[in-house]
PDB file of all heavy atoms in Angstrom:
ATOM      1  N   GLN A 167      21.338 -17.896  -9.611  1.00 93.00           N
ATOM      2  CA  GLN A 167      21.059 -16.548  -9.109  1.00 93.00           C
ATOM      3  C   GLN A 167      20.550 -15.640 -10.232  1.00 93.00           C
ATOM      4  O   GLN A 167      19.629 -14.842 -10.033  1.00 93.00           O
ATOM      5  CB  GLN A 167      22.315 -15.958  -8.472  1.00 93.00           C
ATOM      6  CG  GLN A 167      22.712 -16.635  -7.177  1.00 93.00           C
ATOM      7  CD  GLN A 167      24.007 -16.086  -6.606  1.00 93.00           C
ATOM      8  OE1 GLN A 167      24.728 -15.344  -7.273  1.00 93.00           O
ATOM      9  NE2 GLN A 167      24.315 -16.457  -5.378  1.00 93.00           N
ATOM     10  N   ARG A 168      21.157 -15.768 -11.404  1.00 91.00           N
ATOM     11  CA  ARG A 168      20.754 -14.934 -12.536  1.00 91.00           C
ATOM     12  C   ARG A 168      19.317 -15.243 -12.956  1.00 91.00           C
ATOM     13  O   ARG A 168      18.514 -14.344 -13.216  1.00 91.00           O
ATOM     14  CB  ARG A 168      21.708 -15.156 -13.713  1.00 91.00           C
ATOM     15  CG  ARG A 168      21.546 -14.158 -14.853  1.00 91.00           C
ATOM     16  CD  ARG A 168      22.637 -14.369 -15.893  1.00 91.00           C
ATOM     17  NE  ARG A 168      22.399 -15.549 -16.705  1.00 91.00           N
ATOM     18  CZ  ARG A 168      21.732 -15.531 -17.862  1.00 91.00           C
ATOM     19  NH1 ARG A 168      21.236 -14.397 -18.330  1.00 91.00           N
ATOM     20  NH2 ARG A 168      21.579 -16.634 -18.549  1.00 91.00           N
ATOM     21  N   ARG A 169      18.989 -16.537 -12.998  1.00 93.00           N
ATOM     22  CA  ARG A 169      17.648 -16.920 -13.427  1.00 93.00           C
ATOM     23  C   ARG A 169      16.597 -16.608 -12.364  1.00 93.00           C
ATOM     24  O   ARG A 169      15.466 -16.228 -12.689  1.00 93.00           O
ATOM     25  CB  ARG A 169      17.644 -18.406 -13.794  1.00 93.00           C
ATOM     26  CG  ARG A 169      18.486 -18.717 -15.032  1.00 93.00           C
ATOM     27  CD  ARG A 169      18.351 -20.165 -15.459  1.00 93.00           C
ATOM     28  NE  ARG A 169      16.967 -20.496 -15.788  1.00 93.00           N
ATOM     29  CZ  ARG A 169      16.574 -21.700 -16.189  1.00 93.00           C
ATOM     30  NH1 ARG A 169      17.468 -22.689 -16.310  1.00 93.00           N
ATOM     31  NH2 ARG A 169      15.304 -21.930 -16.466  1.00 93.00           N
ATOM     32  N   VAL A 170      16.982 -16.770 -11.110  1.00 93.00           N
ATOM     33  CA  VAL A 170      16.058 -16.409 -10.027  1.00 93.00           C
ATOM     34  C   VAL A 170      15.751 -14.908 -10.073  1.00 93.00           C
ATOM     35  O   VAL A 170      14.602 -14.481  -9.896  1.00 93.00           O
ATOM     36  CB  VAL A 170      16.639 -16.799  -8.649  1.00 93.00           C
ATOM     37  CG1 VAL A 170      15.840 -16.134  -7.520  1.00 93.00           C
ATOM     38  CG2 VAL A 170      16.623 -18.313  -8.478  1.00 93.00           C
ATOM     39  N   ALA A 171      16.776 -14.094 -10.324  1.00 90.00           N
ATOM     40  CA  ALA A 171      16.578 -12.644 -10.405  1.00 90.00           C
ATOM     41  C   ALA A 171      15.616 -12.285 -11.532  1.00 90.00           C
ATOM     42  O   ALA A 171      14.737 -11.428 -11.378  1.00 90.00           O
ATOM     43  CB  ALA A 171      17.918 -11.940 -10.609  1.00 90.00           C
ATOM     44  N   SER A 172      15.779 -12.941 -12.679  1.00 91.00           N
ATOM     45  CA  SER A 172      14.915 -12.667 -13.814  1.00 91.00           C
ATOM     46  C   SER A 172      13.487 -13.141 -13.551  1.00 91.00           C
ATOM     47  O   SER A 172      12.513 -12.439 -13.859  1.00 91.00           O
ATOM     48  CB  SER A 172      15.464 -13.352 -15.063  1.00 91.00           C
ATOM     49  OG  SER A 172      14.721 -12.988 -16.202  1.00 91.00           O
ATOM     50  N   PHE A 173      13.360 -14.346 -12.988  1.00 92.00           N
ATOM     51  CA  PHE A 173      12.037 -14.877 -12.635  1.00 92.00           C
ATOM     52  C   PHE A 173      11.324 -13.931 -11.670  1.00 92.00           C
ATOM     53  O   PHE A 173      10.126 -13.637 -11.835  1.00 92.00           O
ATOM     54  CB  PHE A 173      12.192 -16.257 -12.001  1.00 92.00           C
ATOM     55  CG  PHE A 173      10.925 -16.816 -11.408  1.00 92.00           C
ATOM     56  CD1 PHE A 173      10.042 -17.546 -12.199  1.00 92.00           C
ATOM     57  CD2 PHE A 173      10.614 -16.615 -10.075  1.00 92.00           C
ATOM     58  CE1 PHE A 173       8.867 -18.065 -11.658  1.00 92.00           C
ATOM     59  CE2 PHE A 173       9.438 -17.119  -9.525  1.00 92.00           C
ATOM     60  CZ  PHE A 173       8.566 -17.843 -10.321  1.00 92.00           C
ATOM     61  N   THR A 174      12.056 -13.471 -10.673  1.00 93.00           N
ATOM     62  CA  THR A 174      11.462 -12.589  -9.660  1.00 93.00           C
ATOM     63  C   THR A 174      10.990 -11.280 -10.276  1.00 93.00           C
ATOM     64  O   THR A 174       9.906 -10.779  -9.946  1.00 93.00           O
ATOM     65  CB  THR A 174      12.476 -12.303  -8.544  1.00 93.00           C
ATOM     66  OG1 THR A 174      12.945 -13.539  -7.993  1.00 93.00           O
ATOM     67  CG2 THR A 174      11.831 -11.476  -7.430  1.00 93.00           C
ATOM     68  N   ALA A 175      11.805 -10.717 -11.179  1.00 89.00           N
ATOM     69  CA  ALA A 175      11.411  -9.478 -11.852  1.00 89.00           C
ATOM     70  C   ALA A 175      10.113  -9.676 -12.629  1.00 89.00           C
ATOM     71  O   ALA A 175       9.219  -8.824 -12.609  1.00 89.00           O
ATOM     72  CB  ALA A 175      12.520  -9.006 -12.785  1.00 89.00           C
ATOM     73  N   GLY A 176      10.001 -10.821 -13.313  1.00 91.00           N
ATOM     74  CA  GLY A 176       8.777 -11.109 -14.052  1.00 91.00           C
ATOM     75  C   GLY A 176       7.591 -11.304 -13.130  1.00 91.00           C
ATOM     76  O   GLY A 176       6.487 -10.823 -13.406  1.00 91.00           O
ATOM     77  N   TRP A 177       7.828 -12.006 -12.018  1.00 93.00           N
ATOM     78  CA  TRP A 177       6.736 -12.239 -11.061  1.00 93.00           C
ATOM     79  C   TRP A 177       6.203 -10.922 -10.524  1.00 93.00           C
ATOM     80  O   TRP A 177       4.981 -10.721 -10.430  1.00 93.00           O
ATOM     81  CB  TRP A 177       7.236 -13.114  -9.906  1.00 93.00           C
ATOM     82  CG  TRP A 177       6.128 -13.511  -8.967  1.00 93.00           C
ATOM     83  CD1 TRP A 177       5.367 -14.643  -9.045  1.00 93.00           C
ATOM     84  CD2 TRP A 177       5.636 -12.765  -7.860  1.00 93.00           C
ATOM     85  NE1 TRP A 177       4.434 -14.637  -8.042  1.00 93.00           N
ATOM     86  CE2 TRP A 177       4.575 -13.505  -7.303  1.00 93.00           C
ATOM     87  CE3 TRP A 177       5.990 -11.548  -7.284  1.00 93.00           C
ATOM     88  CZ2 TRP A 177       3.858 -13.066  -6.191  1.00 93.00           C
ATOM     89  CZ3 TRP A 177       5.276 -11.086  -6.181  1.00 93.00           C
ATOM     90  CH2 TRP A 177       4.224 -11.839  -5.636  1.00 93.00           C
ATOM     91  N   ILE A 178       7.099 -10.020 -10.189  1.00 92.00           N
ATOM     92  CA  ILE A 178       6.678  -8.721  -9.658  1.00 92.00           C
ATOM     93  C   ILE A 178       5.843  -7.957 -10.680  1.00 92.00           C
ATOM     94  O   ILE A 178       4.787  -7.390 -10.355  1.00 92.00           O
ATOM     95  CB  ILE A 178       7.905  -7.896  -9.224  1.00 92.00           C
ATOM     96  CG1 ILE A 178       8.563  -8.546  -7.997  1.00 92.00           C
ATOM     97  CG2 ILE A 178       7.513  -6.448  -8.912  1.00 92.00           C
ATOM     98  CD1 ILE A 178       9.895  -7.912  -7.614  1.00 92.00           C
ATOM     99  N   GLU A 179       6.299  -7.942 -11.942  1.00 90.00           N
ATOM    100  CA  GLU A 179       5.550  -7.231 -12.981  1.00 90.00           C
ATOM    101  C   GLU A 179       4.157  -7.823 -13.153  1.00 90.00           C
ATOM    102  O   GLU A 179       3.165  -7.093 -13.288  1.00 90.00           O
ATOM    103  CB  GLU A 179       6.314  -7.279 -14.312  1.00 90.00           C
ATOM    104  CG  GLU A 179       7.593  -6.473 -14.334  1.00 90.00           C
ATOM    105  CD  GLU A 179       7.335  -4.990 -14.056  1.00 90.00           C
ATOM    106  OE1 GLU A 179       6.376  -4.439 -14.629  1.00 90.00           O
ATOM    107  OE2 GLU A 179       8.084  -4.400 -13.257  1.00 90.00           O
TER     108      GLU A 179
END
Side-chain angles (χ1 to χ4, degrees):
Q167 291 177 349
R168 191 174 75 92
R169 293 186 60 180
V170 167
S172 186
F173 171 87
T174 305
W177 186 92
I178 292 172
E179 291 300 316

